[in-house]
Amino acid sequence: MKAIRRFTVRTVLPASLAAVGDLAANLRWSWHEPTRQLFERMDPKRWDELGHDPIALLGGIDPARLEELAKDPGFIAEAESLRDDLRRYLDEPRWYQSLQGAPERIAYFSPEFGIASAIPQYSGGLGILAGDHLKSASDLGLPLIGVGLFYKAGYFRQAIDRDGWQKESYPVLDPDGLPMQLLRDADGAAALVTLALPGGDALHARVWQMTVGRVVLLLLDTDIHENGEELRGVTDRLYGGGGEHRLLQELLLGVGGVRAIKRYVEVSGTASPEVFHTNEGHAGFLGLERISDLIAQGLSFDEALQVVRAGTLFTTHTPVPAGIDRFDLGLIERYFSTELLRGVDVADVLALGAEDYEGGDSGVFNMAVMGLRLAQRANGVSQLHGEVSRGMFGALWPGFDEADVPITSVTNGVHAPTWTDPLMVGLVHEKLGHFETSAADFAGPAITDGDLWSVRRAMREQLVADARCRVKAAWEEENPGIAAPAWMDSLLDPDVLTIGFARRVPTYKRLTLMLHDENRLRALLTDPERPVQLVIAGKSHPADDGGKALIQRLVQFASAPELRERIVFLPNYDIAMARLLYPGTDIWLNNPLRPLEACGTSGMKAALNGSLNLSILDGWWNEYYDGENGWAIPTADAAGDGAERDKLEADAMYDLIEHQIAPRFYDRDEQGVPRRWVQSIRHTLSTLSPELSADRMVREYVERLYMPAAEAQRIISQQDHYPAKHLSAWKQRVQAEWPSVSVAHVESGGVESPQLGDELEVRAYVELAGLTPDDVLVEVVHGRARNGDDLVDVQRQRLDLVSHDLGQPATFAGTVRLGRSGSFGYTVRVTPRHELLASPAELGLVAVAH
């Protein structure tokens, strides 16, 4: 018999255990190991069974055990000491408090947040990155407020059937059983946000609050009685449903998210955000809600747009156009021809997302394009991804070279306290006296080779034990009442070279590249002297049958009796699995089609634990591989077709494993330690631990993007937004006059037979039409001249105004020192100039000498 409804009854803790409740209420427990150990002590078996979830533990623990703990002075003292430590963590100044001029508050919008396995509100790397961003923001003291959606069924739970086919299920989450509470108005009623919909309908959402260390996370939830059955399902699951369902989710995230912040600020009496960070295009509509608010204050749409742009940062995570949300223009028009955004004309909305550039589709609304147009600052998530993004979105800035497209990069990082195994943390604490693995001296003598190798084996042993448990549990779920086969007790071996591969399963990540030559892989797995074992995990999107077929092929290959103890696919890849999988692998494998991996943070998490990477030079690995921290799989870019490329890259991968990786791993001294391998571990931990930390990433965001955005926001909002009004009028004037702006003539001199150190004198005559010399930036652009006179290694130097007589072109002049030998070429370009522009390319206007 099944219940028609279920809910969670929260336990009432004895007064002496109040500190335990306080610790469970703040998600700092998800990365604070001493707090996690306290919960584990309460009931180790239940702690493991309940997925390391304190709220579930407190609800499921035996009352007799709770009473026992309530009378245990040692336990009570430890809990209260940890609560005092939490309070210090929340109240004491941290890095951010030392900064001058930093934003009072930053809003961070993301469609998913991966914080802990007990809170399944993530699908993959984007969500985990967002969770790590919040955690490091908390550790550094940022006044950040996160905004997302609460999905009743999360993403999905994965199982693999007897044929190797992925099956999805959607266990329903009870918000009352999670560490969060409702945002309530002053009268105690649940705060609601409401969005007007076509046909006079309205979408209502309540707002849940989570406390992530010092950070507040707001999650909007439509499963409330104020909505009809269909609208209650808007937040049913992550990335579920068709186009209109997705649009409703993104309207709620963006428009509803800004309204939720306003309600939170009103209720809490805290500061409003000065900077808005849009993590991918899904939340892009947030800018439109902010424009609507400014229009209500008397600004025009374009004036309001200048204000919103100044304080907005857009981060793109996709390296392929197919990864961008695009909606039918008619659908967008229908939803915005309502009272949703008062004062905002639907034509202005449509223009923001229009693909009105060469190669664009006039029938769609592009969320990433809107995100870029609503943000004055934008970035990719690795150096290579920044380059890819400048190429992918370059059509928005016609006439500019890719290098000038105003999209920078901040390479992702991962939250070290979350992803560094407690065994490694314990080693650092034992030998160095602190817990900061990102700042530990792994190159020094205090930690010996034997220490590192012992910890690495222990982490491998953890993974083996966990994999066996998961495989048995999956068997019992698929074959109820039938005992698991005996061979599962010997699945994997803690003394065998272990390669890990885990990620989402779109085709470009090439899950089955390792199967390109099955006989070669079989030989590696079963080598009698230097065997290899593979641990693999990953989910395919429910609608992606191609990805599911890749999983099926791998599962079927791994089921062969001679291989099944050496290669395993673990179902339902999540944070709990990942926390043991990354540390337990010796090699982390990544073989996407270059350059389609934006960053690839799984390899970072492995590296923080001393694993070595074996990867295509894509994403973060492209900038951090140094020859000692792992191996680079050569990219066969010149291959004739995809099949040839796969063959060449797969063969290179097999060769590296067989001839370099396995020999180095198994080459042991008389103490059984592979000294050369441990040397690479030391190097990896020493050089990558600080660089791959999310603390480094968040500091970069603060210093390079948040602080300039806050300053721009303050300047443009002064004197009742007078600078915004001026900038709007100036832009309109420049755009109207620009078709008549040109470089009429360029003269040069000063070099007869050019030699290193000579100075080239350049004089440019520029037709300004109705503009003034102050409205433009005139530069000589020079570099090495290559095929077709293309300039590379480009440098720019400003030319100064010499004269501007009435009716004549303006004259600009300057000198360029010839600072390097070889081919040299130059041209002159003119771009708009204004103190409130963040980049010369911002308006997408340029005039170049011909």
Side-chain angles (χ1 to χ4, degrees):
M1 189 173 295
K2 293 186 176 181
I4 61 170
R5 185 174 175 232
R6 68 175 189 174
F7 51 86
T8 300
V9 180
R10 295 195 178 189
T11 190
V12 178
L13 290 170
S16 62
L17 296 181
V20 174
D22 293 342
L23 292 169
N26 190 307
L27 280 160
R28 187 197 185 207
W29 57 255
S30 68
W31 72 89
H32 190 247
E33 193 58 31
T35 303
R36 293 170 64 84
Q37 290 173 0
L38 177 85
F39 288 122
E40 184 177 20
R41 273 185 56 199
M42 295 179 74
D43 188 335
K45 183 178 179 183
R46 295 286 288 164
W47 175 249
D48 284 338
E49 289 175 350
L50 295 170
H52 299 178
D53 178 353
I55 301 297
L57 177 71
L58 296 181
I61 196 170
D62 189 311
R65 173 59 176 159
L66 210 54
E67 285 300 320
E68 180 184 340
L69 292 168
K71 298 173 183 176
D72 181 342
F75 181 84
I76 293 169
E78 183 181 354
E80 291 179 347
S81 174
L82 286 169
R83 180 180 59 184
D84 291 344
D85 177 74
L86 174 63
R87 287 173 174 170
R88 286 192 296 272
Y89 171 86
L90 297 177
D91 296 336
E92 290 178 353
R94 304 186 78 80
W95 170 78
Y96 192 84
Q97 282 64 51
S98 70
L99 303 177
Q100 298 294 318
E104 273 198 82
R105 176 165 260 164
I106 302 136
Y108 181 87
F109 284 64
S110 178
E112 49 177 302
F113 287 91
I115 297 170
S117 56
I119 310 165
Q121 299 290 301
Y122 59 93
S123 71
L126 179 69
I128 302 298
L129 181 278
D132 284 5
H133 196 106
L134 297 193
K135 293 172 184 178
S136 275
S138 173
D139 290 344
L140 294 170
L142 271 67
L144 196 104
I145 182 167
V147 182
L149 303 181
F150 177 73
Y151 303 98
K152 187 176 181 180
Y155 189 40
F156 68 87
R157 184 179 181 279
Q158 180 195 49
I160 304 297
D161 68 17
R162 297 179 186 181
D163 295 323
W165 194 254
Q166 172 180 293
K167 299 189 302 182
E168 302 91 21
S169 59
Y170 296 87
V172 174
L173 300 171
D174 178 10
D176 289 321
L178 297 174
M180 59 189 193
Q181 59 185 5
L182 282 174
L183 177 66
R184 296 187 180 276
D185 290 327
D187 61 3
L192 296 181
V193 298
T194 301
L195 276 64
L197 299 181
D201 287 339
L203 175 66
H204 306 280
R206 58 185 171 182
V207 184
W208 293 100
Q209 298 179 77
M210 282 188 179
T211 308
V212 187
R214 299 167 71 114
V215 167
V216 173
L217 174 59
L218 305 179
L219 300 176
L220 283 75
D221 174 13
T222 61
D223 187 24
I224 53 178
H225 67 84
E226 287 86 353
N227 290 321
E229 189 64 32
E230 186 173 343
L231 291 179
R232 290 184 73 156
V234 166
T235 54
D236 56 354
R237 61 185 65 164
L238 180 59
Y239 303 140
E244 189 162 2
H245 187 85
R246 179 74 69 89
L247 176 61
L248 281 165
Q249 287 189 339
E250 298 189 3
L251 288 170
L252 181 63
L253 175 59
V255 176
V258 174
R259 294 178 184 178
I261 288 177
K262 287 184 284 191
R263 297 300 294 275
Y264 175 82
V265 166
E266 180 182 336
V267 170
S268 64
T270 54
S272 297
E274 291 185 272
V275 174
F276 286 76
H277 185 172
T278 308
N279 192 38
E280 249 315 337
H282 309 287
F285 290 125
L286 71 88
L288 294 176
E289 169 68 7
R290 295 173 60 214
I291 286 174
S292 178
D293 287 343
L294 289 162
I295 289 174
Q297 297 176 36
L299 273 65
S300 70
F301 179 90
D302 196 70
E303 291 165 351
L305 174 61
Q306 310 313 317
V307 179
V308 167
R309 278 177 50 79
T312 302
L313 166 64
F314 176 75
T315 297
T316 174
H317 290 261
T318 180
V320 289
I324 297 169
D325 278 337
R326 300 159 88 222
F327 296 106
D328 180 80
L329 270 186
L331 184 65
I332 298 294
E333 185 171 15
R334 184 161 66 89
Y335 270 84
F336 284 92
S337 298
T338 62
E339 293 299 306
L340 175 64
L341 296 175
R342 293 183 182 274
V344 177
D345 189 273
V346 66
D348 290 325
V349 174
L350 295 176
L352 286 171
E355 294 187 359
D356 53 356
Y357 44 78
E358 186 177 352
D361 183 343
S362 61
V364 301
F365 184 93
N366 187 308
M367 293 295 290
V369 166
M370 178 183 68
L372 289 165
R373 286 173 171 156
L374 284 171
Q376 194 172 38
R377 291 164 179 83
N379 71 285
V381 292
S382 69
Q383 290 180 8
L384 179 59
H385 181 236
E387 295 175 18
V388 171
S389 298
R390 289 189 285 274
M392 189 164 77
F393 295 112
L396 290 170
W397 292 273
F400 285 90
D401 292 340
E402 279 188 15
D404 294 320
V405 170
I407 300 175
T408 185
S409 62
V410 175
T411 301
N412 283 342
V414 296
H415 187 245
T418 295
W419 297 109
T420 306
D421 192 273
L423 291 171
M424 185 66 75
V425 176
L427 175 65
V428 169
H429 183 244
E430 177 189 349
K431 300 294 184 178
L432 302 176
H434 63 83
F435 295 98
E436 301 297 326
T437 57
S438 292
D441 180 13
F442 285 106
I447 298 176
T448 69
D449 286 358
D451 293 333
L452 278 173
W453 185 240
S454 176
V455 164
R456 290 291 309 151
R457 189 196 182 279
M459 291 192 289
R460 201 182 310 117
E461 197 167 30
Q462 280 183 162
L463 170 59
V464 169
D466 185 63
R468 290 174 181 174
C469 287
R470 289 179 182 275
V471 169
K472 286 181 185 177
W475 167 273
E476 289 164 3
E477 182 177 329
E478 194 65 30
N479 304 274
I482 303 175
W487 65 265
M488 291 184 179
D489 290 323
S490 55
L491 176 74
L492 305 177
D493 183 330
D495 292 308
V496 167
L497 172 61
T498 303
I499 299 177
F501 181 102
R503 50 195 34 90
R504 289 184 304 110
V505 191
T507 52
Y508 77 86
K509 291 182 183 280
R510 295 194 294 185
L511 169 70
T512 55
L513 184 68
M514 62 185 74
L515 301 182
H516 191 272
D517 185 337
E518 293 186 2
N519 290 332
R520 185 92 184 265
L521 178 59
R522 187 177 288 107
L524 291 170
L525 295 171
T526 59
D527 188 293
E529 300 296 325
R530 297 190 299 226
V532 172
Q533 60 192 14
L534 276 161
V535 185
I536 304 156
K539 292 180 176 180
S540 179
H541 188 280
D544 183 6
D545 284 348
K548 292 180 186 180
L550 298 179
I551 292 174
Q552 182 181 47
R553 183 184 169 201
L554 185 73
V555 170
Q556 290 175 344
F557 174 82
S559 66
E562 72 276 15
L563 299 178
R564 62 193 180 195
E565 294 180 22
R566 284 285 179 265
I567 177 170
V568 59
F569 182 90
L570 300 179
N572 206 40
Y573 179 41
D574 64 1
I575 289 175
M577 180 194 296
R579 287 178 66 124
L580 295 176
L581 178 54
Y582 302 138
T585 56
D586 302 293
I587 291 290
W588 193 257
L589 176 62
N590 188 33
N591 48 233
L593 282 169
R594 188 180 192 270
L596 302 185
E597 183 79 89
C599 183
T601 53
S602 59
M604 294 179 165
K605 297 168 189 128
L608 290 186
N609 290 282
S611 301
L612 308 182
N613 276 262
L614 171 62
S615 177
I616 293 286
L617 284 170
D618 202 4
W620 76 276
W621 190 237
N622 186 68
E623 62 197 86
Y624 281 110
Y625 167 66
D626 65 7
E628 181 62 25
N629 51 19
W631 290 265
I633 301 171
T635 305
D637 290 330
D641 56 28
E644 183 183 358
R645 179 175 183 165
D646 285 353
K647 180 183 186 309
L648 291 169
E649 293 181 3
D651 286 345
M653 176 180 65
Y654 299 138
D655 285 343
L656 286 169
I657 294 171
E658 181 178 0
H659 301 301
Q660 295 189 39
I661 295 171
R664 186 181 299 184
F665 180 85
Y666 286 107
D667 182 15
R668 312 288 170 86
D669 65 8
E670 59 275 8
Q671 282 84 42
V673 177
R675 300 289 174 179
R676 181 67 183 86
W677 187 274
V678 174
Q679 178 182 321
S680 292
I681 292 174
R682 283 188 185 279
H683 177 81
T684 292
L685 291 170
S686 297
T687 60
L688 292 184
S689 291
E691 284 296 306
L692 303 185
S693 165
D695 284 4
R696 184 271 310 153
M697 172 190 74
V698 172
R699 284 193 182 99
E700 275 198 57
Y701 273 114
V702 170
E703 294 169 345
R704 294 177 47 209
L705 296 165
Y706 292 166
M707 290 180 68
E711 179 65 14
Q713 167 76 19
R714 292 165 189 160
I715 291 172
I716 207 165
S717 301
Q718 292 172 353
Q719 299 175 292
D720 193 26
H721 300 103
Y722 173 78
K725 297 170 184 176
H726 177 268
L727 179 61
S728 173
W730 178 84
K731 281 187 176 182
Q732 291 175 28
R733 179 168 60 85
V734 169
Q735 287 164 338
E737 296 290 345
W738 201 261
S740 300
V741 172
S742 66
V743 180
H745 181 59
V746 176
E747 295 176 351
S748 62
V751 289
E752 297 295 332
S753 300
Q755 293 183 356
L756 197 64
D758 284 352
E759 290 191 341
L760 175 71
E761 299 171 358
V762 178
R763 183 175 292 258
Y765 301 89
V766 180
E767 294 283 1
L768 292 177
L771 302 182
T772 71
D774 289 338
D775 292 326
V776 298
L777 173 65
V778 182
E779 298 170 298
V780 56
V781 182
H782 59 92
R784 298 187 185 278
R786 291 289 187 255
N787 297 335
D789 295 328
D790 290 333
L791 295 179
V792 297
D793 300 331
V794 167
Q795 298 179 31
R796 292 183 294 274
Q797 184 167 323
R798 178 176 169 176
L799 299 181
D800 296 320
L801 178 69
V802 175
S803 65
H804 186 207
D805 297 330
L806 186 64
Q808 298 296 317
T811 305
F812 296 82
T815 60
V816 176
R817 185 174 181 276
L818 304 182
R820 56 191 176 191
S821 58
S823 64
F824 178 88
Y826 76 94
T827 187
V828 170
R829 79 171 189 183
V830 184
T831 54
R833 181 180 65 176
H834 193 284
E835 62 182 2
L836 295 182
L837 297 183
S839 159
E842 188 167 316
L843 272 67
L845 301 174
V846 62
V848 181
H850 295 289

